[in-house]
Amino acid sequence: MNFKMVHENFNVYDLQKSLDFYGQALGLREVRRKEAADGSYIIVYLAGPQQGFELELTWMRDMERPYNLGDCEFHLAFEAEDYEAAHKLHQEMGCICFENPQMGIYFISDPDGYWLEIIPKH
């Protein structure tokens, strides 16, 4: 039996703010969306060019506060084709939350506080 990872879900407080962030910071674009008939939720799937993996953003109408992410001891990793250019963009955006120069990696934080690891192309 084989399994393929297809998406990761992040619940977001401000959907448009998150869509703007992921578009600017990582070049992810909406590939499809699902909306509840009663307006109680919107699910948007994002992907980059030539990627089989998607990031699912879920917005819940009745959520009245930002999500509590606990200790934030989880993350998604993105490989940057041009690591230096990516670092410069994220520095300009002010979203770098942790750097480890010895390992050659850094993390950015999205509008909801989710950490995203940026690694150089192997």
Side-chain angles (χ1 to χ4, degrees):
M1 185 179 313
N2 294 317
F3 295 91
K4 176 183 171 187
M5 268 179 90
V6 293
H7 73 257
E8 169 79 16
N9 175 75
F10 285 172
N11 280 32
V12 299
Y13 185 64
D14 182 329
L15 182 59
Q16 190 58 54
K17 189 174 185 179
S18 293
L19 291 172
D20 293 343
F21 173 84
Y22 282 99
Q24 182 180 3
L26 299 167
L28 301 182
R29 299 286 178 248
E30 181 175 333
V31 293
R32 68 183 184 285
R33 78 170 47 206
K34 296 177 183 178
E35 297 187 32
D38 66 359
S40 62
Y41 68 83
I42 299 172
I43 299 172
V44 178
Y45 295 88
L46 305 176
Q50 303 173 350
Q51 291 183 5
F53 187 80
E54 297 174 343
L55 178 59
E56 172 188 328
L57 302 181
T58 301
W59 172 83
M60 306 294 285
R61 178 189 61 207
D62 295 335
M63 183 52 125
E64 298 175 353
R65 58 166 175 73
Y67 287 90
N68 178 348
L69 302 182
D71 292 329
C72 202
E73 288 296 325
F74 56 89
H75 66 270
L76 290 177
F78 290 82
E79 182 179 81
E81 190 170 72
D82 186 337
Y83 184 83
E84 288 76 26
H87 188 274
K88 182 177 186 274
L89 170 67
H90 297 142
Q91 205 165 35
E92 290 169 357
M93 290 177 66
C95 61
I96 296 175
C97 57
F98 180 78
E99 294 188 63
N100 188 329
Q102 288 180 320
M103 291 181 68
I105 63 170
Y106 66 94
F107 290 81
I108 60 176
S109 179
D110 85 349
D112 289 280
Y114 293 104
W115 281 31
L116 308 156
E117 181 180 5
I118 308 300
I119 62 174
K121 188 171 183 174
H122 292 68

